[in-house]
């Protein structure tokens, strides 16, 4: 009924017109007739008597008696008498979408073109003929148009009548239950409040009743008018009702027959299969529930298992179990009410494990470092250490090595303290009750006791460092294993990403075949099945929806746990100590963090070396407060230096890096030792020179052995052999490389002092430069002081010599020559022990050599000057007269013989000849001057003969001296050359 108005009306045959009239489209001038509201009840969804048959949608199998049009019961006046119809005609859109919907201006679109009259030119050309035809039809249908105008006039009149009805009755929310609406429609002023009856009140009530009746009549008239407008469609619907009922009856019989057939098919073919599927689904759900319960039981045992693992120090296993349980709780057991507090409990337990691991590692470090320092560098409980390190890495406690560093400092202090206590307890001279402080007790030890204590401390520290190195190497190996595992994991992920494209392609192909209802074996041949498809098919065959092999098999809890921790793959690795361990993938540490940690651990080993050196330095400084180390002799200090150098080299070999604190302390003490060493020897040399009488000394055998050892290329002090020394007598000369050197005792001791400097450099390489400077100063001091004493005649006042003889001068020159002979050897010795950048310091030896040569030349000049003054004195009184030889020449020859006798045994023959050549030249110069003064010329006269006789006497006496027989005197130079 509601939709009957939408069908087009059928033209009636009993129309008053003799011919069929074309239907006029009334929508061009009038509004379309709006449909009545659908007041039919909704279609029932099933039999209300059986609630089990209710479905979300109608079922052709179950519902046999469905709703038909005959079940419809409609009150026609209620359908037609719709008070909202007039209102809906006026505000159909504004009721739903707002008051301003109709009046809202639409913004012109930028994408639509502007339409002008030119766009309709073609249309006007086409429609003009049709419009003419239409005009002719309008002339023919004039009565109908008159009827339409009458209808429009009637419609306007009815609208005017409706405006008399108050607007409150037209509101959509009109309800008399509302007190305001009720008071507006029926005001209380028209009724008696006290219950009395008055004429005025009765008139008002009657007037109100008539007014409401009038309103009702207006509404009914308009309703009747509306019905009359739709009468044609209404009567057409009624005439079509019988034909529609026949169609519906046939359709109902066909549908009933179809339902019966479908019901039989449902019972025969579908019910059993659906029941099997339903039971299979139920069974799988039960299995899942059973496995979930077993998983819950396993998770429930997490805390007791963690406690059991912690009792055996299995921190890594406990942390892995907690992490796996947390993941299971978040993924597979999420929302389980009984486990709502388990996650927070496990977090607290994890924090407790962190504290336990730190405390355990601190205890391990204390036990490892404080165990007896025997010659044993084995790692203490390596498995326990590896477990602790893995646990700390897993929890990102990357500063655990600082705990080990603090324990190293305390242990180093305790090592020194314990060594001092043990040593003091063995020395009876030290009363521990009187001297309480360990430092004071240590200062009461003599050098051998203190040296043995230091040696014991160094040996303990060496074992201590080896033990630390072994432990830290184990820790670093664990860090590197984790780093290697991370790299392998990244490589595996890269490989999986490369294969992901192929696997996704195979999976999509298999999914398509499955969706199309084909079996994989049907789509692919036996040999054409891809590997990815086979794996996918095997995985589907073992999916949770498939039936397990045995209902009693315990597969799902393990599977669930494995699936929840599928990302935590483990791999087996072995530490350098042979401890096998499992590395999990859930170590959330980056490569940068691991490398930084490994570097920090290596730095900790360097710090251990620095700690041992620092404690050793404090031990040395405590003993050096009273100047003990500065008072050591050279042998003791060399022994101490060698011990310290050995310890420094051992620590560098163990730790792989130089520690400068102990080396610096040794250098500082070495500098003090060098200063004292030099001052002692310089003072000793000064005393020897002040007491030296500059006479030739005998050479003991030990000094000759000392010189011989230097000639063999070894600059070192030979070991004393008292027995052999007593059998050998002192020698008159010192034999150096085949040459005889007449020396004084001071020079012999100076040579020994110089060798002590060189040997000290060999024993303490760090003081090479200082020793070179000090030795240069010592050689310069000997040169200058000997010059003052001999050439400057200082020995006359210092020693009390009567005069400085030529023998003193010649002996001094020979001593200087001996020192000059050893300067190149000393230079080569120091050059071999200096760094290339320090070679510039060798220039000191060049300066010293030059000074010594100048000194030797000055001595030679002094000897010539002595004879020169003698010649000047004697020859100035020379007279050419008989007898021959004259007294002057006899005195000159006598003095020359004394000079030769004084220096011949001291100086080598070559130097003697050179000296006498220079003396002879001085003699010829003075004789030539005197002959010129006497006007004696080489003319063969008597005076010339006398002079020639004296010169021959001089020449014969001089050449008769030992070693001067081949001397070329060239006496012809005494005569003036004739021009």
């Amino acid at each position: 009924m509601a939709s009957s108005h939408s069908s087009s009306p059928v033209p009636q045959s009993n129309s008053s017109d003799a011919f069929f009239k074309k239907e006029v489209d009334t929508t061009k001038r009038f509004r379309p007739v709006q449909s009545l509201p659908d007041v039919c009840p909704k279609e029932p969804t099933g039999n209300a008597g059986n609630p089990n048959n209710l479905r979300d949608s109608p079922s052709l199998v179950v519902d046999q008696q469905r709703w038909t049009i005959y079940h419809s019961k409609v009150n026609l006046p209620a359908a037609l008498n719709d008070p909202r119809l007039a209102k809906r005609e006026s505000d159909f859109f504004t009721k739903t979408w707002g008051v301003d919907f109709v009046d809202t201006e639409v913004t012109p679109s930028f994408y639509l073109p502007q339409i002008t009259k030119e766009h309709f030119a073609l249309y006007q050309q086409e429609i003009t003929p049709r419009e003419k035809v239409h005009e002719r039809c309008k002339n023919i249908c004039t009565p109908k148009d008159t009827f339409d105008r009458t209808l429009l006039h009637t419609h306007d009149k009815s609208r005017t009548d409706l405006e008399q009805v108050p607007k409150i009755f037209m509101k959509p929310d009109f309800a008399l239950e509302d007190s305001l609406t009720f008071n507006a429609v029926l005001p209380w002023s028209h009724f008696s409040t006290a219950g009395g009856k008055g004429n005025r009140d009765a008139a008002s009530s009657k007037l109100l009743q008539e007014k409401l009746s009038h309103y009702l009549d207006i509404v009914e008239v308009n309703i009747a008018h509306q019905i009359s407008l739709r009468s044609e469609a209404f009567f057409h619907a009624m005439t079509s009702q019988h034909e529609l009922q026949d169609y519906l009856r046939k359709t109902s019989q066909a549908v009933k027959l179809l339902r019966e057939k479908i019901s039989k098919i449902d019972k025969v073919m579908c019910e059993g299969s659906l029941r099997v599927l339903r039971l299979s689904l139920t069974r799988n759900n039960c299995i899942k529930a059973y496995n979930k319960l077993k998983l819950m039981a396993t998770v429930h045992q997490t805390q007791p298992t963690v406690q059991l693992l912690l009792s055996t120090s299995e921190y890594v296993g406990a942390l892995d179990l907690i992490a796996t349980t947390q993941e299971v709780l978040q993924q597979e057991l999420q929302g389980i009410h009984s486990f709502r507090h388990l996650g927070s409990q496990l977090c607290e337990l994890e924090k407790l494990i962190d504290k336990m691991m730190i405390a355990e590692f601190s205890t391990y470090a204390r036990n490892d470092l404080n165990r007896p320092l025997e010659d044993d560098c084995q790692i203490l409980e390596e498995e326990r250490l590896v477990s602790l390190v893995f646990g700390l890495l897993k929890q990102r406690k990357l500063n655990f090595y600082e705990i080990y560093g603090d324990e190293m400092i305390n242990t180093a202090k305790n090592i020194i303290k314990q060594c001092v206590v043990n040593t003091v307890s063995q020395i009876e001279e030290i009363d521990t009750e009187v001297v309480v402080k360990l430092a004071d007790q240590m200062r009461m030890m003599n050098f051998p006791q203190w040296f043995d204590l230091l040696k014991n401390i160094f040996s303990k520290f060496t074992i201590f460092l080896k033990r630390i190195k072994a432990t830290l190497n184990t820790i670093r190996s664990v860090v590197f294993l984790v780093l290697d595992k991370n790299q392998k994991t990244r490589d595996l992920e890269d490989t999986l990403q490369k294969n992901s494209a192929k696997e996704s392609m195979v999976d999509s192909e298999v999914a398509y075949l499955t969706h199309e209802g084909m079996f994989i074996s049907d789509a692919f041949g036996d040999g054409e099945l891809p590997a990815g498809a086979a794996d996918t098919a095997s995985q589907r065959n073992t999916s949770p929806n498939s039936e397990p092999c045995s209902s009693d098999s315990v597969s799902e809890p393990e599977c669930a746990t494995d699936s929840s921790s599928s990302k935590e793959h483990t791999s087996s690795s072995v530490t350098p100590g042979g401890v096998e361990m499992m590395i999990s993938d859930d170590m959330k540490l980056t490569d940068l963090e691991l490398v930084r940690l490994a570097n920090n651990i290596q730095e900790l080993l360097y710090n251990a070396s620095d700690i041992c050196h620092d404690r050793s330095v404090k031990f040395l400084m405590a003993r050096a407060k009273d100047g003990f180390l500065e008072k050591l002799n050279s042998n003791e200090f060399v022994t101490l230096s060698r011990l310290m150098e050995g310890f420094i080299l051992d620590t560098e070999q163990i730790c792989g890096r130089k520690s400068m604190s102990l080396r610096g302390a040794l250098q500082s003490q070495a500098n003090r030792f060098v200063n004292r060493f030099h001052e002692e020897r310089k003072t000793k040399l000064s005393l020897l020179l002040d007491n030296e009488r500059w006479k030739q000394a005998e050479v003991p055998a030990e000094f000759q052995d000392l010189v011989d050892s230097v000639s063999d290329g070894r600059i070192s002090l030979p070991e004393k052999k008292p027995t052999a020394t007593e059998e050998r007598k002192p020698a008159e000369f010192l034999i150096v490389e085949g040459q005889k050197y007449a020396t004084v005792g001071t020079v012999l001791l100076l040579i020994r002092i110089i060798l002590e400097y060189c040997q000290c450099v060999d024993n303490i390489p760090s003081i090479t430069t200082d020793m070179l400077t000090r030795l240069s100063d010592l050689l310069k001091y000997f040169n200058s002081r000997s010059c003052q004493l001999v050439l400057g005649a200082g020995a006359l006042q210092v020693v009390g010599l009567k005069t400085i003889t030529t023998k003193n001068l010649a002996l001094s020159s020979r001593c200087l020559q001996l020192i000059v002979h050893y300067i190149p050897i000393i230079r080569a010795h120091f050059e071999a022990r200096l760094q290339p950048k320090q070679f510039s310091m060798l220039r000191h030896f060049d300066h010293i050599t030059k000074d010594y040569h100048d000194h030797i030349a000055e001595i030679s000049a002094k000897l010539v000057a002595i004879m020169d003054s003698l010649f000047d004195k004697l020859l100035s009184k020379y007279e050419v007269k008989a007898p021959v030889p004259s007294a002057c020449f006899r005195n000159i020859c006598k003095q020359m013989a004394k000079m030769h006798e004084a220096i011949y045994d001291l100086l080598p023959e070559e130097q003697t000849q050179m000296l006498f050549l220079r003396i002879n030249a001085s003699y010829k110069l003075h004789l030539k001057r005197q002959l010129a003064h006497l006007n004696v010329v080489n003319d063969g006269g008597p005076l010339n003969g006398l002079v020639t006789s004296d010169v021959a006497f001089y020449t014969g006496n001089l050449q008769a001296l030992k070693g001067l027989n081949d001397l070329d005197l060239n006496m012809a130079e005494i005569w003036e050359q004739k021009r």
Side-chain angles (χ1 to χ4, degrees):
M1 293 291 291
S3 61
S4 61
H5 69 279
S6 60
S7 60
S8 60
V10 179
Q12 302 294 327
S13 60
N14 54 354
S15 176
S16 59
D17 297 330
F19 55 91
F20 176 76
K21 295 181 181 181
K22 182 179 180 181
E23 184 181 359
V24 180
D25 189 1
T26 59
T27 58
K28 294 180 181 179
R29 291 178 296 173
F30 305 103
R31 289 184 184 177
V33 180
Q34 302 206 4
S35 62
L36 293 174
D38 189 3
V39 295
C40 297
K42 292 184 179 180
E43 181 182 0
T45 58
N47 190 359
N50 188 2
N52 294 329
N53 293 334
L54 292 176
R55 309 286 183 185
D56 294 336
S57 61
S59 175
L60 297 175
V61 178
V62 180
D63 298 334
Q64 298 294 330
Q65 301 296 330
R66 291 181 55 84
W67 183 85
T68 63
I69 58 173
Y70 298 104
H71 292 81
S72 176
K73 296 180 180 179
V74 181
N75 188 357
L76 184 59
L80 297 179
N81 193 11
D82 186 3
R84 297 175 296 171
L85 185 58
K87 185 67 175 180
R88 288 176 62 188
E89 288 178 356
S90 62
D91 62 346
F92 176 76
F93 296 103
T94 58
K95 176 183 178 181
T96 305
W97 295 323
V99 179
D100 299 330
F101 176 79
V102 178
D103 299 332
T104 301
E105 295 182 0
V106 180
T107 304
S109 175
F110 297 100
Y111 302 100
L112 296 179
Q114 294 292 333
I115 304 302
T116 60
K117 293 182 178 181
E118 286 74 9
H119 290 85
F120 298 95
L122 181 61
Y123 173 75
Q124 289 179 352
Q125 294 176 1
E126 295 178 354
I127 207 66
T128 300
R130 300 180 185 179
E131 185 180 5
K132 294 179 180 179
V133 174
H134 178 68
E135 290 297 333
R136 289 196 299 269
C137 292
K138 284 175 63 177
N139 296 329
I140 297 173
C141 301
T142 302
K144 185 66 176 180
D145 293 339
T146 305
F147 173 76
D148 291 337
R149 286 194 296 270
T150 304
L151 184 63
L152 180 60
H153 176 71
T154 306
H155 178 70
D156 293 338
K157 181 179 180 182
S158 62
R159 177 177 285 280
T160 303
D161 294 339
L162 282 176
E163 288 178 356
Q164 299 177 8
V165 181
K167 299 297 181 180
I168 190 172
F169 294 103
M170 304 299 179
K171 289 183 178 181
D173 56 348
F174 178 81
L176 290 177
E177 292 83 359
D178 187 5
S179 58
L180 296 177
T181 304
F182 185 81
N183 292 330
V185 175
L186 300 174
W188 287 101
S189 59
H190 294 277
F191 301 96
S192 176
T193 57
K197 294 182 179 180
N199 295 330
R200 186 177 180 181
D201 293 338
S204 298
S205 299
K206 186 176 181 180
L207 180 61
L208 177 61
Q209 183 177 2
E210 291 178 354
K211 186 184 297 183
L212 293 177
S213 299
H214 177 67
Y215 293 159
L216 178 59
D217 293 339
I218 293 174
V219 171
E220 288 180 350
V221 169
N222 279 275
I223 290 174
H225 176 68
Q226 293 294 330
I227 293 174
S228 64
L229 292 177
R230 290 168 176 79
S231 60
E232 186 177 0
F234 175 75
F235 288 113
H236 173 69
M238 292 302 296
T239 56
S240 305
Q241 186 69 24
H242 295 289
E243 184 179 358
L244 180 61
Q245 288 179 358
D246 292 338
Y247 290 156
L248 290 176
R249 188 179 302 107
K250 294 178 180 179
T251 303
S252 176
Q253 292 176 356
V255 169
K256 183 177 181 181
L257 181 60
L258 179 60
R259 287 180 176 179
E260 290 177 355
K261 291 181 180 180
I262 292 176
S263 177
K264 293 179 181 179
I265 294 173
D266 182 30
K267 292 180 180 179
V268 174
M269 299 185 63
C270 299
E271 276 190 8
S273 300
L274 292 175
R275 187 170 179 274
V276 170
L277 293 176
R278 190 180 299 108
L279 292 176
S280 176
L281 182 61
T282 303
R283 183 176 183 277
N284 289 332
N285 291 336
C286 293
I287 292 175
K288 289 182 180 179
Y290 170 72
N291 291 330
K292 190 72 70 175
L293 290 174
K294 292 183 69 176
L295 180 60
M296 292 173 63
T298 303
V299 171
H300 185 66
Q301 296 298 322
T302 298
Q303 289 179 316
T305 307
V306 169
Q307 296 293 341
L308 181 62
L309 291 173
L310 293 179
S311 63
T312 58
S313 299
E314 289 289 340
Y315 298 106
V316 179
L319 291 173
D320 288 339
L321 181 58
I322 290 175
T324 303
T325 305
Q326 290 278 26
E327 189 171 357
V328 170
L329 288 175
Q330 294 175 2
Q331 294 181 0
E332 301 186 20
L333 298 180
Q334 187 176 8
I336 302 299
H337 185 71
S338 59
F339 289 150
R340 64 187 184 279
H341 300 305
L342 183 59
S344 59
Q345 292 174 358
L346 292 177
C347 291
E348 294 297 328
L349 189 59
E350 190 173 359
K351 295 179 182 179
L352 177 62
I353 293 175
D354 292 346
K355 297 179 181 179
M356 291 178 63
M357 284 193 299
I358 294 175
E360 185 75 12
F361 185 79
S362 178
T363 304
Y364 175 85
R366 193 178 304 110
N367 295 337
D368 178 49
L369 297 175
N370 292 323
R371 54 182 167 148
L373 290 171
E374 301 173 354
D375 192 10
D376 181 17
C377 299
Q378 296 294 329
I379 302 175
L380 179 65
E381 300 180 8
E382 183 176 2
E383 295 183 359
R384 176 186 174 194
L385 174 63
V386 170
S387 177
L388 283 172
V389 173
F390 266 106
L392 292 170
L393 291 179
K394 185 179 180 64
Q395 295 303 105
R396 299 181 63 84
K397 303 296 181 181
L398 303 183
N399 58 346
F400 65 89
Y401 62 90
E402 297 177 358
I403 300 174
Y404 201 83
D406 296 338
E407 290 295 332
M408 287 192 310
I409 298 175
N410 297 330
T411 305
K413 295 179 181 178
N414 295 333
I415 288 175
I416 295 180
K417 183 177 180 181
Q418 190 63 35
C419 290
V420 174
V421 170
N422 294 338
T423 304
V424 169
S425 63
Q426 297 174 2
I427 300 175
E428 298 179 355
E429 292 81 3
I430 300 176
D431 189 358
T432 56
E433 295 180 357
V434 178
V435 183
V436 180
K437 294 183 179 180
L438 288 177
D440 297 335
Q441 295 174 1
M442 181 185 62
R443 294 189 187 98
M444 296 180 66
M445 300 178 186
N446 54 29
F447 178 75
Q449 295 171 344
W450 181 82
F451 182 78
D452 292 338
L453 173 60
L454 182 62
K455 187 176 182 181
N456 185 27
I457 290 175
F458 283 166
S459 63
K460 298 292 185 183
F461 274 155
T462 303
I463 300 174
F464 176 66
L465 290 176
K466 289 181 179 179
R467 188 172 293 172
I468 290 175
K469 181 179 180 181
T471 302
L472 294 182
N473 283 344
T474 301
I475 297 176
R476 290 183 79 237
S477 66
V478 173
V479 175
F480 285 134
L481 286 174
V482 176
L483 180 62
D484 183 62
K485 178 62 180 176
N486 288 349
Q487 294 176 352
K488 291 181 179 179
T489 302
R490 285 199 305 273
D491 295 340
L492 180 61
E493 290 177 354
D494 294 339
T495 304
L496 292 177
Q497 288 179 358
K498 292 179 180 178
N499 297 332
S500 61
K502 297 180 180 179
E503 293 180 359
S504 61
M505 180 176 64
V506 172
D507 289 340
S508 61
E509 188 173 1
V510 173
Y512 171 75
L513 293 174
T514 306
H515 177 71
E516 293 295 326
M518 300 175 63
F519 292 100
I520 297 177
S521 59
D522 296 337
F524 297 97
D526 294 337
E528 299 176 356
L529 185 62
D535 295 340
T536 307
S538 62
Q539 292 175 4
R540 286 171 181 165
N541 292 334
T542 58
S543 63
N545 294 330
S546 62
E547 183 177 354
C549 297
S550 174
S551 60
D552 297 333
S553 60
V554 187
S555 60
E556 193 65 21
E558 288 80 358
C559 293
T561 305
D562 294 340
S563 64
S564 63
S565 60
S566 59
K567 297 181 181 179
E568 299 179 6
H569 300 290
T570 59
S571 63
S572 177
S573 300
V574 181
T575 62
V579 179
E580 184 175 357
M581 51 194 170
M582 303 299 292
I583 305 176
S584 59
D585 286 347
D586 59 343
M587 296 252 182
K588 306 302 182 183
L589 295 174
T590 62
D591 291 351
L592 180 61
E593 291 175 335
L594 292 172
V595 171
R596 187 183 296 115
L597 178 59
N599 293 335
N600 290 336
I601 294 173
Q602 183 64 34
E603 191 68 26
L604 187 61
L605 180 60
Y606 301 152
N607 294 339
S609 176
D610 295 339
I611 289 170
C612 294
H613 283 230
D614 293 341
R615 302 311 304 178
S616 300
V617 169
K618 290 184 179 180
F619 179 78
L620 290 174
M621 294 299 103
R623 189 67 183 91
K625 282 186 177 180
D626 55 354
F628 173 76
L629 298 179
E630 298 177 5
K631 298 176 183 178
L632 299 178
N633 57 40
S634 59
N635 293 331
E636 290 175 345
F637 189 83
V638 167
T639 305
L640 176 61
S641 176
R642 287 179 177 176
L643 178 63
M644 295 175 66
E645 285 288 349
F647 176 69
I648 291 172
L649 293 177
D650 291 340
T651 55
E652 290 178 1
Q653 184 178 4
I654 294 172
C655 301
R657 191 178 72 171
K658 295 182 179 180
S659 296
M660 304 307 298
S661 58
L662 185 58
R663 194 182 298 273
L666 176 60
Q667 185 66 36
S668 176
Q669 292 299 325
N671 293 335
R672 297 179 184 177
F673 168 76
V674 168
N675 292 332
R676 184 183 57 79
F677 180 87
H678 177 65
E679 292 299 330
E680 287 180 355
R681 277 140 187 84
K682 188 174 182 179
T683 302
K684 182 179 180 179
L685 179 61
S686 177
L687 293 175
L688 290 174
L689 288 173
D690 290 343
N691 294 310
E692 181 60 58
R693 302 189 68 84
W694 298 101
K695 292 183 179 180
Q696 184 178 0
E698 295 181 344
V699 180
E702 61 175 339
F703 285 96
Q704 185 62 52
D705 294 340
L706 185 64
V707 170
D708 293 341
S709 66
V710 175
S711 300
D712 296 337
R714 295 182 293 104
I715 300 182
S716 61
L717 297 175
E719 297 180 358
K720 295 181 179 181
K721 299 180 180 179
T723 305
T725 306
E726 292 176 359
E727 294 177 356
R728 298 168 61 186
K729 295 181 180 180
E732 186 177 1
F733 295 96
L734 184 66
I735 308 301
V736 180
E737 296 182 359
Q739 293 187 11
K740 293 182 179 180
Y741 284 90
T743 63
V744 296
T746 301
V747 174
L748 293 176
L749 294 176
L750 176 60
I751 292 175
R752 184 178 181 86
I753 290 173
I754 291 173
L755 295 183
E756 287 178 354
Y757 274 81
C758 295
Q759 188 175 13
C760 193
V761 168
D762 288 338
N763 296 329
I764 312 175
S766 60
I767 62 175
T768 302
T769 55
D770 292 337
M771 277 296 182
L772 189 150
T773 305
R774 301 302 194 280
L775 181 58
S776 301
D777 180 67
L778 186 70
L779 293 175
K780 290 178 181 178
Y781 176 77
F782 173 76
N783 184 39
S784 61
R785 186 61 178 164
S786 62
C787 181
Q788 293 174 3
L789 292 174
V790 180
L791 283 177
L796 299 179
Q797 293 81 17
V798 176
V799 185
L801 296 179
K802 294 180 181 180
T803 183
I804 301 298
T805 63
T806 55
K807 191 171 185 176
N808 298 138
L809 292 172
L811 186 61
S812 174
S813 176
R814 195 57 175 163
C815 291
L816 291 174
Q817 293 173 22
L818 179 61
I819 301 300
V820 169
H821 173 78
Y822 281 108
I823 287 178
I825 301 175
I826 299 170
R827 175 192 173 100
H829 181 78
F830 276 91
E831 184 177 2
R833 287 153 182 80
L834 286 175
Q835 299 292 332
K837 61 182 179 181
Q838 298 173 339
F839 285 167
S840 60
M841 299 185 67
L842 297 174
R843 69 181 183 275
H844 294 295
F845 292 110
D846 300 333
H847 297 161
I848 293 170
T849 303
K850 182 178 180 301
D851 293 341
Y852 272 69
H853 282 301
D854 293 342
H855 190 185
I856 294 171
E858 289 178 3
I859 293 176
S860 300
K862 182 67 176 178
L863 291 173
V864 174
I866 292 173
M867 297 305 296
D868 184 75
S869 63
L870 179 64
F871 293 150
D872 184 39
K873 179 179 179 182
L874 293 177
L875 291 176
S876 64
K877 299 177 181 179
Y878 173 63
E879 294 179 357
V880 183
K881 63 180 180 178
V884 178
S886 63
C888 177
F889 273 79
R890 285 198 297 269
N891 288 334
I892 289 174
C893 290
K894 183 180 178 180
Q895 295 298 326
M896 294 286 280
K898 287 183 179 179
M899 171 70 76
H900 180 270
E901 181 183 3
I903 68 174
Y904 181 76
D905 293 334
L906 301 179
L907 298 177
E909 186 175 346
E910 296 82 3
Q911 294 185 18
T912 304
Q913 292 176 358
M914 292 298 298
L915 180 62
F916 273 89
L917 283 176
R918 293 178 62 186
I919 293 173
N920 181 58
S922 176
Y923 162 76
K924 290 188 293 183
L925 180 63
H926 284 283
L927 180 58
K928 182 178 180 180
R929 186 183 301 118
Q930 185 64 23
L931 292 176
H933 177 69
L934 297 175
N935 295 322
V936 179
V937 295
N938 188 13
D939 55 359
L943 294 178
N944 181 268
L946 292 174
V947 174
T948 303
S949 298
D950 287 337
V951 170
F953 174 75
Y954 166 79
T955 303
N957 278 278
L958 188 59
Q959 290 181 346
L961 297 176
K962 188 177 181 179
L964 302 180
N965 50 353
D966 297 331
L967 199 64
D968 184 12
L969 300 179
N970 193 12
M971 298 304 295
E973 294 180 353
I974 64 175
W975 305 106
E976 289 286 343
Q977 298 293 331
K978 293 182 180 180
R979 299 180 181 179

